[in-house]
Amino acid sequence: MKVLFVCLGNICRSPTAQGVFEKLLADEWPDAGIEVDSAGTHAYHKGEPPDRRAQRAAAERDIDLSSQRARPVTDEDFLIYDYIVAMDRDNYAVLESRKPEEFAGRLCLFMEFAPDLGREDVPDPYYGGLNGFEHVLDLVTDAAKGLLRHIKSTR
Ligand code: 4NP
């Protein structure tokens, strides 16, 4: 089982989602055999580590993002991932338009897995302050738990 988290730049939201989900798996279901990665719909930041603010906010919650490097979504991703999880509706629309006919996985919005929060998007924190990154972590933590419950329920 392979899960890909996708945002715009792959330096703020989707690396945070990857780190949070990997930690949740390590803590709760280490033998699940779920592989996790993240990517961006744009390549502006290709090769860069996550934004320092994202790294710092995650580190305060014992989540290490430092080894991640940004990469753009590739055509091959649609052939190998079971779940492609978009951080917001804009990125979902880009992925939907790139999705090949052979895509056999599920394309979804991350916030679908936290329905109690009643929102569709993880907001882009890039141009805001530090509390935007805290907010991303809060949303992503709830949605990661929901995604894990969902995957467990399908096994
Ligand atoms: P992300 O945030 O999509 O959560 O990684 C952004 C990162 C960079 C830019 C926009 C959003 N940018 O315009 O460079």
Side-chain angles (χ1 to χ4, degrees), residues 13-128:
R13 291 165 293 175
S14 61
T16 300
Q18 177 181 344
V20 166
F21 196 59
E22 283 175 339
K23 179 155 193 288
L24 191 63
L25 285 169
D27 290 347
E28 295 199 6
W29 201 12
D31 57 354
I34 298 174
E35 289 177 44
V36 187
D37 197 8
S38 63
T41 53
H42 281 266
Y44 312 126
H45 296 279
K46 186 175 175 180
E48 293 178 19
D51 187 285
R52 285 174 178 280
R53 297 164 295 174
Q55 289 198 50
R56 185 168 0 136
E60 281 171 14
R61 300 188 194 193
D62 273 336
I63 295 164
D64 180 10
L65 307 183
S66 64
S67 64
Q68 295 190 39
R69 295 294 177 270
R71 70 165 180 91
V73 172
T74 66
D75 293 340
E76 196 195 6
D77 288 328
F78 290 99
L79 306 179
I80 60 179
Y81 282 93
D82 302 289
Y83 285 87
I84 298 184
V85 184
M87 294 299 120
D88 65 26
R89 285 166 286 179
D90 288 346
N91 289 297
Y92 181 96
V94 171
L95 292 164
E96 178 69 38
S97 72
R98 282 189 58 176
K99 192 178 77 176
E101 258 180 41
E102 313 91 272
F103 179 55
R106 181 166 163 203
L107 174 61
C108 44
L109 275 172
F110 199 21
M111 292 313 295
E112 285 172 29
F113 299 104
D116 293 353
L117 299 183
R119 55 186 308 148
E120 294 181 280
D121 297 334
V122 179
D124 181 354
Y126 189 66
Y127 292 106

Side-chain angles (χ1 to χ4, degrees), residues 53 125-134:
R53 297 164 295 174
Y126 189 66
Y127 292 106
L130 273 179
N131 45 14
F133 288 81
E134 295 296 334

